[in-house]
Amino acid sequence: MKMTRLRLVFSTLQVVVSIFLLVSCCPASLAAGEFDPYTVLGVGKSATQAEVKKVYKKLAREWHPDKNKSPGAEDMFIKITKSYELLSNEEKRANYDRYGETAENQGYAQQQRQQFQHFHDSFYFDESFFHYQFNKGSKDFADTKYMLHFSQYMNDIVPDSFKKPYLIKITSDWCFSCIHIEPVWKEVVQELEALGMGIGVVDVGYERRLANHLGAHRTPSILGLINGKVTFFHYAVVREHLRQFVENLLPARLVEKVTDQNYMQFLNSWHEENKPHVLLFDQVPVVPLLYKLTAFAYKDYVRFGYVDQGLVETEALLQQYKINTYAPTMLLFKESTDKPVDIIQARGMKKQIIDEFVSNNKFLLVPRLVNQKLFEELCPVKQFHRRRKYCVLLVTSGEDSFTNGNEEFLSFAASNTKEIFRFAYVYQKQQQALCDVLLKDKESVPSQVLILERRNTAGKVSYKAVPGGWNGSEEEKFQLQEQLELLQKDPAFLTSVAVLPELNNEFASMFLLQWIYAAYDYVSQIGDDLLHNNWREMMPLLSLIFSALFILFGTVVIQAFSDSSDEKQTKPKTKEGPQNNSENGSPNANTSSRAPKKSFVEVTELTDITYTSNLVRLRPGHMNVVLVLTDAAKNALLSKFAKEVYSFTGSLTLHFSFLNLDKHKEWMESLLEFAQDAVQIDSDEDDSQHKADYTGYVLALNGHKKYLCLFKPVYTGEDLHMDSSSSSRASSSSRDEAATRKKTASSSLQIHHKLDRLGLWMERLLEGTLPRYYIPSWPGLDKITTSK
């Protein structure tokens, strides 16, 4: 009975609340429906500020009452103006997108929310029962100014993250856990924002696209953004952890610890780094976060160092610069290391004070132009007559002979305090293209001073060279001063015009070091994500890595199997008859079926130059097939040889060469002397009255195992089935018959017929069924030299 009554009470309450919400929201909705800035301007809700501004200008020109005389032009123009004012303000636009609030109905909507809050407070809910603070709302309205939109994030926040890191909270309207971290979040935001940290809030209910882009798939989530890279916070949401998370986001090499031993090295590096140097003196052992954030913001302009006043190693440094240890002190040094050019000291060092202090001293008195960005900042483009900036540029060199002139130029710049002049110098060798344009009509002088003014961003400048070059003499200083005074009186004094090329980046050589640091930070982030099982964010990267490894592994496996089919040697087998195993080291028989890889046969001559690579140091499993010929039979035999062996060129283990008997007959005879069996066959078959003719012989030489296989030309008239090789299996009677046929047909055996059976012999070579003639060692190089 009690449960039934309780259910009835809650049902009635739910109906009452729903009716009140419907009644209270309808007027605001109706008020919003009367005026829709998106419809007035004709843009979508995803339109960027640039698109809104472009449409506004177009419509304003079209509906301006002075140009459009239609009756409704004035009212339309007012609507266009109000629409642009609303959509050009990010906060007003966010309120309109979320609550339908415009400038007219904003107070009414707030009144309705307050009335609902009073209505809500009149009921007494037991919040401990529901575990939800209904009277507090699901989202703090203080987060509204930090709300991020996708276009704002991509166009503003990401580029700005290269100057200051951002701490971003991912939340939603019905996130119960978000309420528990809200007090800590407020405290940390108030502290870090005062130090220069960027803050952002992403509501998943309204910016699902941005949340997915950031990789945030649950609420609440906290992440850091620095240099365009997102890092997630994985620890308990307490103040100390969030501060440590922010410090870990910053690069580790931002601030250098300075002591008595290294302070001179730190200050004297201004010339190499082309930057002023700042020293902060404080009593805390660790670098304050405010100082780290400042160092990150100005890392491209100023080098930062930190001095711990509590160390014994810094006492001499404190005495030299007379530092008051009761308050933090900042010293800024430029070209001179003896005396700082500026100093601030305050107990409560604020960000605004430090920013003003550093921004007013971002450049050296006479910086070196090392890249286009620095040139554009030192010499801005002319805008108005009273905002002219002239650059006094010294073209010089870094050699010792130019040191005096460079120092005198620095002295002249230090004595000139007028804001309209900026002094700089450039090394001619490092910026040759720039100097060629500015000095093209001038005589060759060691150093030259030029006065120039940038006219537009395309590189157009007006300039004039100071006559006589520059050595730093008093006369030259006086002449330069006169030129500057004339320029102030008459801007047309700069008579020459040129278009300058873009400057070389002299620090580009440091890209490899910067890439190594970035890779280290990236690997650290990967390890951190793996440690905290952040698999969802890591999945795209892991997929890319495993895909690359799979492709690499597959390529290696395919290559390994491909090579093994060519170089594999079968195990030896004992069998009666001739040696027909691949124990002899012959290539695998399957390679004979491999398609030729080339449309020609590559045949090299075996000479004293190619002797070592083609024979002595031939790779294991490889053989060199050598054709023996003379100058008279060279063309005919090589043509026939190429036709016979072409089908075997697909094997990676076969190489083809030829040996000229007219040059290297001694080597051939010396080789056959080692091969006793081959010599015996030759002596049986050749007539003792004639010298041995080796023309048309083919040698298969295995340089690693030191053996050869021999092919001899045969008569191809009647016995077509006769074996083409001098097989040891043939009987003595068969050899006699073959010799008899050879004697009777020697007159009719033509040169191009000598290699008729070479194809069959090559197949047996690949099968490993040819007899092998082993030799103790290959003949020496003295045998391969040309015979005299």
Side-chain angles (χ1 to χ4, degrees):
M1 189 67 178
K2 291 182 179 180
M3 292 299 295
T4 304
R5 290 179 179 177
L6 186 60
R7 290 176 182 174
L8 181 60
V9 170
F10 275 102
S11 300
T12 305
L13 180 61
Q14 184 177 4
V15 172
V16 173
V17 172
S18 301
I19 294 174
F20 184 82
L21 287 175
L22 181 62
V23 173
S24 61
C25 293
C26 283
S29 301
L30 292 173
E34 296 175 357
F35 173 72
D36 184 3
Y38 293 105
T39 304
V40 173
L41 295 182
V43 297
K45 290 191 175 183
S46 60
T48 63
Q49 291 292 342
E51 294 172 348
V52 171
K53 185 176 182 180
K54 182 179 179 180
V55 173
Y56 164 71
K57 289 184 177 180
K58 180 180 178 182
L59 294 176
R61 286 194 298 267
E62 179 182 353
W63 292 96
H64 197 281
D66 294 341
K67 295 183 179 180
N68 194 325
K69 302 301 181 182
S70 59
E74 185 175 357
D75 294 338
M76 187 62 183
F77 181 76
I78 294 175
K79 288 184 179 181
I80 292 172
T81 304
K82 289 183 178 180
S83 300
Y84 177 70
E85 290 178 354
L86 191 150
L87 297 183
S88 60
N89 188 298
E90 290 290 348
E91 186 174 352
K92 293 181 180 180
R93 183 175 180 177
N95 289 335
Y96 177 80
D97 293 340
R98 191 159 302 165
Y99 312 112
E101 296 178 358
T102 62
E104 290 79 5
N105 66 4
Q106 185 174 4
Y108 177 79
Q110 291 177 356
Q111 180 181 2
Q112 294 297 322
R113 286 198 297 270
Q114 291 174 0
Q115 290 177 359
F116 175 71
Q117 185 68 29
H118 295 314
F119 169 77
H120 181 272
D121 291 341
S122 64
F123 292 90
Y124 295 95
F125 292 96
D126 186 1
E127 296 177 359
S128 62
F129 174 78
F130 291 100
H131 298 286
Y132 181 73
Q133 298 177 345
F134 287 97
N135 61 332
K136 297 297 183 182
S138 61
K139 180 170 75 318
D140 189 350
F141 288 99
D143 285 343
T144 304
K145 67 176 183 178
Y146 303 119
M147 285 295 176
L148 300 180
H149 308 284
F150 184 81
S151 58
Q152 177 192 5
Y153 173 81
M154 299 300 296
N155 299 329
D156 301 331
I157 304 302
V158 173
D160 198 39
S161 68
F162 289 85
K163 297 180 181 178
K164 66 177 179 180
Y166 275 80
L167 194 66
I168 302 176
K169 180 181 70 172
I170 311 297
T171 184
S172 64
D173 286 339
W174 297 102
C175 172
F176 295 95
S177 302
C178 299
I179 299 171
H180 297 93
I181 70 171
E182 197 65 29
V184 179
W185 172 257
K186 285 183 179 180
E187 181 184 1
V188 172
V189 166
Q190 291 176 0
E191 178 185 0
L192 295 182
E193 190 176 21
L195 300 180
M197 189 80 180
I199 305 297
V201 176
V202 177
D203 193 323
V204 178
Y206 299 93
E207 287 293 337
R208 172 66 65 179
R209 179 185 179 189
L210 177 55
N212 292 336
H213 177 78
L214 294 173
H217 304 286
R218 61 178 180 269
T219 55
S221 294
I222 296 178
L223 56 90
L225 176 68
I226 185 170
N227 293 331
K229 184 181 68 174
V230 175
T231 304
F232 278 83
F233 176 77
H234 300 289
Y235 303 94
V237 182
V238 295
R239 175 179 174 276
E240 292 75 14
H241 290 173
L242 287 172
R243 278 185 61 94
Q244 188 61 43
F245 173 69
V246 171
E247 294 203 12
N248 293 339
L249 287 177
L250 297 169
R253 295 160 294 275
L254 275 176
V255 181
E256 182 178 348
K257 291 293 186 69
V258 179
T259 62
D260 295 339
Q261 287 73 28
N262 67 340
Y263 83 96
M264 286 304 301
Q265 180 182 358
F266 173 79
L267 296 178
N268 286 327
S269 61
W270 67 267
H271 188 269
E272 292 78 13
E273 298 179 359
N274 199 39
K275 298 176 181 178
H277 285 58
V278 174
L279 282 178
L280 173 66
F281 295 81
D282 206 344
Q283 294 182 347
V284 293
V286 295
V287 183
L289 181 57
L290 171 61
Y291 196 56
K292 288 184 177 180
L293 291 172
T294 305
F296 180 76
Y298 295 96
K299 61 182 181 298
D300 295 333
Y301 303 97
V302 182
R303 187 77 170 95
F304 292 83
Y306 180 73
V307 181
D308 183 3
Q309 299 177 357
L311 297 178
V312 180
E313 294 83 359
T314 61
E315 291 180 353
L317 192 58
L318 299 176
Q319 294 177 1
Q320 179 174 351
Y321 294 109
K322 300 178 181 179
I323 301 299
N324 184 357
T325 59
Y326 296 100
T329 305
M330 293 186 69
L331 306 181
L332 190 141
F333 298 84
K334 292 189 177 180
E335 284 86 350
S336 175
T337 60
D338 299 330
K339 183 180 180 181
V341 296
D342 203 352
I343 180 173
I344 58 173
Q345 188 175 47
R347 288 186 178 275
M349 196 76 73
K350 301 296 183 180
K351 179 181 181 300
Q352 294 77 8
I353 299 176
I354 298 179
D355 284 345
E356 183 179 0
F357 175 74
V358 177
S359 60
N360 291 336
N361 297 279
K362 289 198 304 183
F363 306 108
L364 297 170
L365 291 176
V366 185
R368 185 171 84 253
L369 298 184
V370 294
N371 52 48
Q372 185 67 22
K373 178 183 177 183
L374 180 60
F375 178 51
E376 292 175 355
E377 291 194 43
L378 283 174
C379 306
V381 176
K382 168 192 171 184
Q383 295 179 350
F384 305 102
H385 176 72
R386 294 186 178 182
R387 295 185 181 180
R388 290 176 179 268
K389 296 290 183 181
Y390 299 102
C391 282
V392 183
L393 183 63
L394 172 65
V395 179
T396 182
S397 175
E399 300 175 0
D400 295 339
S401 58
F402 294 84
T403 303
N404 183 62
N406 298 342
E407 292 178 351
E408 293 298 329
F409 186 76
L410 173 61
S411 174
F412 180 85
S415 62
N416 193 297
T417 58
K418 295 183 179 179
E419 290 291 334
I420 63 173
F421 295 115
R422 297 283 181 85
F423 294 84
Y425 70 99
V426 61
Y427 286 156
Q428 185 170 359
K429 292 182 180 180
Q430 279 76 6
Q431 303 293 342
Q432 190 64 49
L434 173 71
C435 298
D436 289 343
V437 173
L438 295 176
L439 303 177
K440 60 182 180 181
D441 298 330
K442 308 300 175 187
E443 298 180 357
S444 177
V445 292
S447 296
Q448 180 69 56
V449 176
L450 302 103
I451 307 172
L452 58 89
E453 179 188 23
R454 293 182 64 216
R455 290 302 183 94
N456 57 35
T457 56
K460 183 179 179 180
V461 297
S462 300
Y463 72 98
K464 180 178 179 62
V466 179
W470 178 266
N471 291 318
S473 63
E474 294 298 328
E475 181 181 353
E476 291 171 341
K477 290 182 181 180
F478 181 76
Q479 184 180 10
L480 177 58
Q481 186 64 38
E482 282 187 338
Q483 299 281 324
L484 297 179
E485 292 175 357
L486 290 174
L487 178 61
Q488 295 179 69
K489 297 177 181 178
D490 182 14
F493 176 75
L494 304 179
T495 56
S496 301
V497 178
V499 177
L500 301 183
E502 185 171 340
L503 272 69
N504 299 327
N505 187 2
E506 297 182 16
F507 290 155
S509 58
M510 300 175 62
F511 172 77
L512 179 60
L513 187 61
Q514 296 174 359
W515 184 87
I516 293 175
Y517 290 152
Y520 173 78
D521 294 337
Y522 200 68
V523 171
S524 300
Q525 180 189 358
I526 293 175
D528 186 63
D529 290 337
L530 291 176
L531 179 64
H532 295 90
N533 297 324
N534 198 10
W535 299 107
R536 194 162 189 173
E537 290 80 9
M538 288 292 299
M539 194 57 65
L541 179 61
L542 292 176
S543 176
L544 178 63
I545 293 176
F546 282 111
S547 299
L549 291 177
F550 178 78
I551 295 173
L552 180 62
F553 179 75
T555 305
V556 172
V557 171
I558 293 174
Q559 186 66 29
F561 278 102
S562 175
D563 293 343
S564 63
S565 65
D566 294 331
E567 301 180 8
K568 181 179 177 183
Q569 300 179 6
T570 59
K571 296 181 179 180
K573 300 179 181 179
T574 57
K575 188 177 180 180
E576 294 181 358
Q579 299 173 342
N580 55 358
N581 304 311
S582 57
E583 169 258 357
N584 300 323
S586 62
N588 195 313
N590 294 334
T591 57
S592 62
S593 62
R594 183 186 295 272
K597 294 184 177 181
K598 301 178 181 179
S599 59
F600 60 92
V601 180
E602 184 176 358
V603 183
T604 59
E605 184 176 0
L606 192 63
T607 63
D608 53 342
I609 298 176
T610 62
Y611 178 81
T612 301
S613 60
N614 287 1
L615 180 59
V616 177
R617 295 185 179 177
L618 204 61
R619 293 173 57 187
H622 288 235
M623 298 190 71
N624 194 359
V625 181
V626 182
L627 170 65
V628 182
L629 49 75
T630 58
D631 288 336
K634 183 176 181 179
N635 294 335
L637 285 179
L638 281 177
S639 177
K640 181 68 174 179
F641 180 73
K643 293 178 181 179
E644 292 293 328
V645 302
Y646 175 73
S647 60
F648 303 94
T649 56
S651 174
L652 299 177
T653 59
L654 291 180
H655 309 274
F656 302 98
S657 305
F658 70 89
L659 180 73
N660 195 329
L661 281 176
D662 296 337
K663 300 178 182 178
H664 311 297
K665 187 173 183 180
E666 290 184 25
W667 183 86
M668 181 71 178
E669 294 175 349
S670 176
L671 178 66
L672 295 181
E673 287 178 2
F674 286 105
Q676 299 296 332
D677 295 338
V679 173
Q680 183 179 0
I681 294 173
D682 291 338
S683 61
D684 291 341
E685 295 183 355
D686 291 336
D687 192 347
S688 60
Q689 297 180 357
H690 298 84
K691 293 184 178 181
D693 182 15
Y694 301 117
T695 305
Y697 280 36
V698 178
L699 305 173
L701 308 177
N702 189 314
H704 181 67
K705 291 196 173 183
K706 296 184 179 63
Y707 70 80
L708 63 91
C709 297
L710 179 65
F711 170 84
K712 294 177 57 179
V714 296
Y715 177 71
T716 59
E718 297 177 357
D719 189 5
L720 296 177
H721 301 287
M722 177 182 175
D723 196 325
S724 63
S725 66
S726 58
S727 174
S728 62
R729 296 178 298 175
S731 61
S732 59
S733 59
S734 299
R735 291 198 300 268
D736 294 338
E737 293 176 4
T740 303
R741 291 193 190 96
K742 181 178 179 182
K743 293 176 184 178
T744 57
S746 59
S747 59
S748 62
L749 187 60
Q750 299 180 2
I751 292 297
H752 63 275
H753 287 307
K754 287 191 173 187
L755 303 179
D756 285 343
R757 297 295 182 90
L758 181 60
L760 298 176
W761 182 83
M762 287 292 297
E763 291 182 1
R764 293 188 61 191
L765 174 67
L766 296 176
E767 294 172 357
T769 58
L770 290 177
R772 312 283 175 82
Y773 303 104
Y774 287 85
I775 62 174
S777 62
W778 298 110
L781 289 175
D782 58 329
K783 298 296 183 181
I784 195 65
T785 54
T786 304
S787 58
K788 298 179 181 180

